[in-house]
Amino acid sequence: MKFQYFIPTKILFGCGQLDKLHKQKLPGKKALLVISGGTSVKKYGYLARVQDQLDKAGVTHVIFDKILPNPIETHVTQGAELARKEGCDFVIGLGGGSIIDSAKAIAVMATNEGNIWDYIFGGTGGSKMPEIAPLPIVAITTTAGTGTEADPWAVITHQDRNEKIGFGYDKTFPVLSIVDPELMLTVPEKLTAYQGFDALFHSTEGYLNKYTNPLNDMYALKAIELIGKYLPTAVKDGKNIEARENVALANTLSGMSESIGGCISEHALEHPLSGHNPKLEHGAGLIMICEAYYAYWAESGLVNQRMIDMAKALGKQDATKAEDFVGALHDLIVSCGVEDLKMSDYQILKEDLKMYTEVAFETMGSLFKADPGEMTFEDCLKIYEKSFQ
């Protein structure tokens, strides 16, 4: 019953909330507006709407539009250089998790020396703490997957080393986040599923985390319940605003769960896959390994009641054993139409699974320490092998 609760982010949640941006006390007068290298925020008018809001607020801005689906270290450096050159005094991330994660990392590097890898804990990171506070961060999310609008974490890949590692501390929480489900109506079917499962696993991992606490348990179980009930509808009918709202809420709750609970080794196992194969969507990678992963914990007997709780939250009200969660998870995967994902389709080779296991421990080894029990190298390798298709 001892825990810390710290989520210092003002969150505007609900349809139409983007239109209230100009009424907020923004943390500066010139923003670096970070968006993806794609076209969606321009195509669907989201960028123009944010620009209009900034104009109304009397805030000027500069656009940085290079961010990839798996964001990389060099783009963080370039964004920070642009922020300094243009004299930006805060950063806005407009887009999905990769955009907002990048905005956080750029905000850190706009005020500190070196590059972001000097401050990464794990792998070849320098494990330094930033000496100077980052620029303030505003998050405007257009997807429901990472929960980054409500947590301090930013996941970045070092493009030369294929290391994909999370970073964050108290000062990388956004000061303001806007979660407007109307901005999510255009997310394609498959990406809706991938993102929804990422949010799901932030909560399931948080609920199994041995350092969990009563508040985290409430957030995690509610997020699991909402995803189980609404994600299939959001996937099949992307214009269904009720489904989008509830999946968005689940995502934000999952971000809060990451802030006060935290992920465990499932995320450590996925990061090497998408870190080495950047065309692999993070959520898709999690789906590939999830059934073998949770079957491992069901077989361990260490978290039986918690897995029953999660099965009931997913909708299996008559659950009586840990394996029922694995069954409920499989049913959700099928109902969202993502049961056909294969590692081999992303050029992941079976002979490389041992290497991926090594990388998981080297880059994200700290997550294994939060597992409900010990997971050995051989255990991890077997999970990869059972997941491989």
Side-chain angles (χ1 to χ4, degrees), residues 231-246:
L231 182 59
T233 301
V235 170
K236 294 168 186 171
D237 179 12
K239 301 299 183 185
N240 186 310
I241 194 64
E242 180 187 12
R244 290 290 192 185
E245 285 175 331
N246 280 282

Side-chain angles (χ1 to χ4, degrees), residues 62 65 69 89 91 141 357 380:
V62 179
D65 60 357
D89 50 8
V91 181
T141 182
T357 309
C380 294

Side-chain angles (χ1 to χ4, degrees), residues 122-123 162-165 264-273 276 289 353-368 375-377 380-381 384:
N162 296 323
E163 292 180 332
K164 182 177 181 180
I165 305 177
I264 56 175
S265 55
E266 183 184 15
H267 265 68
L269 289 173
E270 196 293 317
H271 278 194
L273 300 178
H276 281 75
I289 63 174
L353 296 181
K354 185 175 181 181
M355 177 271 291
Y356 290 125
T357 309
E358 292 169 349
V359 173
F361 281 95
E362 290 168 0
T363 59
M364 300 285 284
S366 61
L367 296 189
F368 290 92
M375 181 175 280
T376 68
F377 185 96
C380 294
L381 181 57
Y384 277 139

Side-chain angles (χ1 to χ4, degrees), residues 70 274 277-281 346-347:
N70 277 307
S274 51
N277 306 278
K279 290 186 179 180
L280 172 62
E281 300 88 348
Y346 292 87
Q347 287 71 57

Side-chain angles (χ1 to χ4, degrees), residues 22-38:
H22 72 281
K23 297 180 180 180
Q24 307 308 305
K25 184 179 179 181
L26 295 174
K29 287 296 182 181
K30 187 171 185 179
L32 181 75
L33 181 49
V34 180
I35 61 176
S36 78

Side-chain angles (χ1 to χ4, degrees), residues 30-35 60-64 78-84 86 88-93 103 106-107 110 135 138:
K30 187 171 185 179
L32 181 75
L33 181 49
V34 180
I35 61 176
T60 59
H61 69 277
V62 179
I63 292 176
F64 182 72
Q78 291 170 14
E81 288 173 349
L82 181 61
R84 289 194 296 269
E86 295 288 341
C88 297
D89 50 8
F90 73 110
V91 181
I92 299 174
I106 288 169
L135 296 179
V138 173

Side-chain angles (χ1 to χ4, degrees), residues 264-270 273 285-300 343 348 350 353-354 356-357 360-361 368 371 373-389:
I264 56 175
S265 55
E266 183 184 15
H267 265 68
L269 289 173
E270 196 293 317
L273 300 178
L286 288 167
I287 294 167
M288 290 174 186
I289 63 174
C290 69
E291 291 187 66
Y293 181 82
Y294 288 100
Y296 170 85
W297 290 116
E299 292 164 9
S300 76
M343 290 187 187
I348 297 171
K350 193 166 188 177
L353 296 181
K354 185 175 181 181
Y356 290 125
T357 309
F361 281 95
F368 290 92
D371 280 344
E374 183 183 6
M375 181 175 280
T376 68
F377 185 96
E378 287 302 319
D379 294 331
C380 294
L381 181 57
K382 286 178 183 176
I383 289 170
Y384 277 139
E385 289 172 343
K386 289 179 179 177
S387 303
F388 186 84
Q389 296 186 63

